Amino acid sequence: MTRLRFLGTGTSQGVPIIACQCPVCKSLDPRDKRFRSSAFVEYEGLNILIDAGPDFRSQMLQADIRHLDAILLTHNHKDHTGGLDDVRSFNYIDRKAAEIYCEERVLKSLKNDYSYAFEEEKYPGAPEWHVHLIDERPFRVDSLGHSGELVWVHDKGYYYRQADGSLSNTGEIVSEASHDNPNVIPIRGLHGQMPVLGFRFGNIAYLTDMSHIEDSELEKLRGLKHLTLNTVSYHPHHSHFSLEEAVALAKRIGAEHTWLTHLSHTFPTHGEFVEKLKQYGGNIEPAYDGLTIED
Ligand SMILES: [Zn+2]
Ligand SMILES: [Zn+2]
Ligand SMILES: [Zn+2]
């Protein structure tokens, strides 16, 4: 069984937007409270998180997530990576580095944004990450590829226990993801000019922050039960699908059900939006935080 829980379905500023007084931002319906976009996937016995934006900590607490096997990053915008410092809690509980899967270009920006996490002599308590580099090839996520047990040494920080029992102050920080026996299929899209990845797990696919996808990539999306697509507004947007484009793409892909995410306050309240989307045949709906889908 594959299960996906939407942890956030809002655009980069979330909904409500700070200081906005519009009816959507003022709505009392909990489905109009949208954290930054992220999803939690339970697949082949693994706990996989897609994106760790600024709401990561609240999302982990609210969904009561106690363990992550992998964090997959779609691209390097802050609303998808801004919460990565908070994996520190999992470092401590799991006694291992957070296993992050991303492309080389995303790693480059992480090194910029979080330079302190890549220093050889880190300050005690800095996040411990093990980055697995991915590209367009299907890759394997499992619970085996970690870089050793973390040992907390008082006032000094984390050390990695080596096979011979000795402690070293650096674990493996970057390595290639395995392509043997792959279980995740990346889907290439463009977010304006920026290449991004969506991911397919079994018959569930999650695509966000795209404004274009090549026809050749659609082959990877055949036979889906659930598809997630992003849209931020009715109007054409430089880096996201408009509603019309998302609906047209959903129809081409033909999943049994399509869920819309990365929603902004330019759409009506959730209840009204559900009604409005019924004109497209009833199998395209807005997602909301906490919604769980499964196959
Ligand atoms: Zn985004
Ligand atoms: Zn608003
Ligand atoms: Zn983005």
Side-chain angles (χ1 to χ4, degrees), residues 75 77 79-80 191 209:
H75 66 301
H77 279 159
D79 56 322
H80 300 259
H191 184 27
D209 291 57

Side-chain angles (χ1 to χ4, degrees), residues 127-170:
E128 296 290 338
W129 298 345
H130 175 195
V131 176
H132 304 250
L133 288 175
I134 56 173
D135 48 36
E136 290 168 22
R137 289 173 294 164
F139 59 94
R140 175 149 195 91
V141 168
D142 59 32
S143 55
L144 304 171
H146 63 81
S147 38
E149 184 200 353
L150 285 181
V151 180
W152 176 260
V153 179
H154 181 65
D155 277 352
K156 291 202 167 131
Y158 287 116
Y159 285 75
Y160 288 81
R161 194 187 300 284
Q162 304 300 303
D164 64 2
S166 65
L167 297 182
S168 83
N169 67 347
T170 46

Side-chain angles (χ1 to χ4, degrees), residues 23 34 55 84 88 109 128 243 245 276:
R34 301 185 187 276
D55 298 313
L84 283 171
R88 291 177 295 130
S109 87
E128 296 290 338
L243 177 62
E245 289 165 339
K276 205 173 171 73

Side-chain angles (χ1 to χ4, degrees), residues 14-26 264-266:
V15 179
I17 288 179
I18 294 172
C20 185
Q21 300 296 303
C22 83
V24 176
C25 290
K26 298 296 276 181
S264 74
H265 67 164
T266 60

Side-chain angles (χ1 to χ4, degrees), residues 53-199:
D55 298 313
F56 171 81
R57 176 177 173 274
S58 306
Q59 289 164 325
M60 293 302 104
L61 291 170
Q62 210 162 81
D64 194 20
I65 293 168
R66 300 176 191 184
H67 169 75
L68 290 178
D69 291 297
I71 300 174
L72 277 47
L73 300 178
T74 57
H75 66 301
N76 58 359
H77 279 159
K78 266 287 160 50
D79 56 322
H80 300 259
T81 61
L84 283 171
D85 186 80
D86 280 319
V87 302
R88 291 177 295 130
S89 312
F90 286 118
N91 291 156
Y92 194 77
I93 293 278
D94 288 340
R95 298 287 169 188
K96 58 193 266 317
E99 309 292 337
I100 297 173
Y101 291 71
C102 68
E103 293 191 88
E104 184 94 53
R105 61 170 64 80
V106 178
L107 172 63
K108 219 168 143 189
S109 87
L110 294 182
K111 283 183 171 172
N112 238 344
D113 296 350
Y114 293 99
S115 56
Y116 59 91
F118 293 92
E119 280 166 11
E120 201 135 306
E121 296 285 332
K122 292 188 219 181
Y123 68 81
E128 296 290 338
W129 298 345
H130 175 195
V131 176
H132 304 250
L133 288 175
I134 56 173
D135 48 36
E136 290 168 22
R137 289 173 294 164
F139 59 94
R140 175 149 195 91
V141 168
D142 59 32
S143 55
L144 304 171
H146 63 81
S147 38
E149 184 200 353
L150 285 181
V151 180
W152 176 260
V153 179
H154 181 65
D155 277 352
K156 291 202 167 131
Y158 287 116
Y159 285 75
Y160 288 81
R161 194 187 300 284
Q162 304 300 303
D164 64 2
S166 65
L167 297 182
S168 83
N169 67 347
T170 46
E172 190 170 23
I173 293 191
V174 180
S175 61
E176 291 283 328
S178 167
H179 301 282
D180 297 337
N181 197 10
N183 53 0
V184 182
I185 301 173
I187 319 292
R188 171 66 72 208
L190 280 178
H191 184 27
Q193 300 297 313
M194 178 191 280
V196 301
L197 290 178
F199 301 104

Side-chain angles (χ1 to χ4, degrees), residues 202-223:
N203 289 324
I204 295 183
Y206 181 91
L207 312 187
T208 192
D209 291 57
M210 293 187 181
S211 52
H212 178 74
I213 180 166
E214 290 292 333
D215 287 355
S216 54
E217 292 299 286
L218 302 184
E219 295 296 315
K220 300 177 183 170
L221 297 167
R222 285 181 190 277

